[in-house]
């Protein structure tokens, strides 16, 4: 067995992310269609799509939820909307690249866990026949354009390795990333957001609600056990250098220090866990030492 790399857990590798394919594709999991039924699909059609095609006069048996009220009011006759069948759903991974993610004390950095969770999403998209794309908050770094199959997944994995090896020189923030996402998404898409809890606060509630209106949105909040459950003792930290002058200590046995620590790390997590579900968002905490595919539906607790 090869010796582990000295950067294992600190930076993601392409081989590591490719290896996560087995968690999704090699377990004999039955393919699931758009509505979640198990079994093999004989056709790539997802059922009635959500791309608007045209409107026509209402006929008996039409779904009243699809009445075109604007055209009905203009013509005085009831019209219903028709939709194009959707053949390939889009799975989009939005990667937060805030500097606070490049840290960890258990198993791996939060950034590495983010890359691994994004890779799991890419392989799930391959399994389900989706187009897969990815982007981050940047005005210079273009999105990974949608593509299907292993080739599309590998392009996303390569981007995740680049983005999560070290903090990018330019990070425009999660709000900008979601602006880009909203322009790329089409109704019926799946959106996975990988984010530090503190980044959630910068995104207005109306943006989350708009994203969830026509898409299945999951937010994974990347955390580290030390941040969420610090020991009640003095902790030494090195700030930007190995020189003694750059070392600081925080006394977490002191109640005031523990309170400020919780306000900085714990409060944003709890706020996001409370706010996002009310806006139609599925949200989960994903600790740095948790199974990287534990957020998928039906996955039990296993070794990381």
């Amino acid at each position: 067995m090869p010796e582990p790399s000295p950067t294992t857990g600190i930076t993601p590798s392409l081989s590591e992310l490719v290896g996560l394919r087995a968690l999704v594709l090699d377990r004999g999991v039955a393919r699931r269609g758009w509505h979640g039924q198990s079994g093999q699909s004989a056709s790539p059609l997802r059922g009635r799509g959500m791309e608007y095609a045209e409107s026509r006069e209402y006929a008996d048996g039409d779904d009243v939820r699809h009445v075109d009220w604007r055209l009905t009011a203009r013509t005085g006759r009831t019209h219903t909307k028709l939709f194009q069948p959707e053949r390939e759903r889009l799975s989009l991974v939005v990667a937060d690249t805030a500097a606070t993610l490049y840290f960890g004390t258990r198993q791996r950095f939060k950034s590495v866990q983010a890359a691994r969770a994004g890779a799991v999403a890419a392989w799930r998209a391959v399994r389900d026949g989706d187009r897969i794309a990815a982007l981050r908050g940047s005005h210079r770094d273009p999105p990974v354009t949608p593509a299907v199959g292993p080739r599309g997944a590998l392009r996303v994995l390569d981007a995740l390795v680049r983005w999560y090896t070290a903090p990018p020189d330019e990070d425009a923030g999660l709000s900008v990333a979601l602006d880009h996402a909203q322009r790329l998404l089409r109704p019926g898409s799946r959106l996975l957001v990988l984010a530090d809890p503190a980044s959630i606060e910068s995104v207005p509630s109306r943006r989350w609600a708009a994203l969830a209106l026509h898409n299945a949105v999951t937010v994974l909040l990347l955390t580290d056990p030390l941040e969420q459950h610090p020991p009640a003792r003095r902790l030494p930290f090195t700030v930007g250098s190995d020189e003694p002058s750059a070392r600081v200590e925080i006394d977490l046995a002191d109640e005031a220090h523990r309170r400020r620590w919780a306000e900085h790390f714990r409060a944003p997590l709890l706020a996001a866990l409370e706010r996002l579900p009310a806006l139609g968002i599925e949200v989960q905490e994903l600790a740095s030492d948790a199974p990287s595919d534990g957020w998928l539906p039906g996955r039990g607790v296993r070794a990381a």
Side-chain angles (χ1 to χ4, degrees):
M1 179 178 295
E3 288 294 321
S5 165
T7 59
T8 298
I10 298 175
T11 60
S13 68
L14 185 59
S15 61
E16 174 186 8
L17 302 190
V18 170
L20 294 171
R21 176 185 187 276
L23 295 179
V24 182
L25 298 181
D26 294 347
R27 291 189 166 208
V29 178
R31 176 173 175 169
R32 293 187 176 270
W34 177 237
H35 297 291
Q37 298 94 337
S38 297
Q40 296 296 327
S41 173
S43 168
L45 287 173
R46 302 285 185 185
R48 186 195 64 75
M50 299 184 68
E51 289 282 359
Y52 173 76
E54 60 178 339
S55 294
R56 61 158 169 77
E57 287 200 39
Y58 182 86
D60 288 343
D62 285 345
D63 192 332
V64 296
R65 294 174 298 177
H66 303 148
V67 170
D68 187 337
W69 296 109
R70 185 173 297 177
L71 185 58
T72 296
R74 189 166 66 244
T75 63
R77 299 186 304 276
T78 305
H79 282 71
T80 188
K81 294 179 180 179
L82 302 179
F83 298 84
Q84 290 281 3
E86 183 182 16
R87 292 182 177 271
E88 290 176 346
R89 173 178 50 194
L90 173 65
S91 283
L92 176 62
V93 176
V94 169
D96 181 16
T97 51
T100 48
L101 284 170
Y102 301 80
F103 167 82
T105 62
R106 304 274 185 87
Q107 192 85 17
R108 57 183 71 94
F109 276 18
K110 293 187 292 181
S111 53
V112 175
Q113 182 71 302
R116 288 171 61 91
V120 168
W123 292 122
R124 179 183 64 165
V126 172
R127 182 196 70 189
D128 292 348
D130 294 355
R131 294 178 299 141
I132 176 68
L135 58 84
R136 70 178 191 90
S138 172
H139 297 298
R140 299 199 305 256
D141 201 350
V144 178
T145 55
V148 297
R151 181 179 180 182
L154 288 171
R155 290 165 58 186
V156 169
L157 268 53
D158 180 70
L160 291 171
V161 170
R162 286 189 287 105
W163 297 340
Y164 284 125
T165 291
D169 293 336
E170 179 247 4
D171 175 52
L174 183 60
S175 188
V176 168
L178 293 177
D179 285 344
H180 295 335
Q182 198 156 30
R183 290 192 288 270
L184 187 61
L185 292 168
R186 295 293 179 269
S189 299
R190 280 197 302 208
L191 171 62
L192 178 69
V193 181
L194 309 165
D196 189 280
S199 298
I200 301 298
E201 298 175 310
S202 68
V203 182
S205 293
R206 64 180 180 274
R207 170 55 47 79
W208 290 116
L211 289 167
L213 187 60
H214 297 298
N215 307 287
V217 183
T218 299
V219 174
L220 298 184
L221 303 171
L222 285 306
T223 63
D224 182 81
L226 178 67
E227 294 175 341
Q228 299 303 316
H229 307 287
R233 60 180 176 83
R234 298 182 71 89
L235 290 181
F237 291 90
T238 300
V239 182
S241 171
D242 291 330
E243 296 297 325
S245 59
R247 292 178 64 84
V248 297
E249 283 193 351
I250 299 177
D251 184 6
L252 290 173
D254 180 82
E255 184 61 31
H257 289 171
R258 288 186 70 83
R259 185 167 56 251
R260 286 196 291 271
W261 183 280
E263 289 171 355
H264 187 77
F265 293 111
R266 186 72 176 164
L269 172 66
L270 297 179
L273 290 172
E274 180 180 1
R275 178 166 72 110
L276 294 182
L279 301 172
I281 308 290
E282 179 188 352
V283 58
Q284 298 185 46
E285 178 185 2
L286 185 63
S288 57
D289 59 347
S292 301
D293 67 330
W295 58 275
L296 291 177
R299 293 301 164 102
V301 177
R302 302 181 316 283

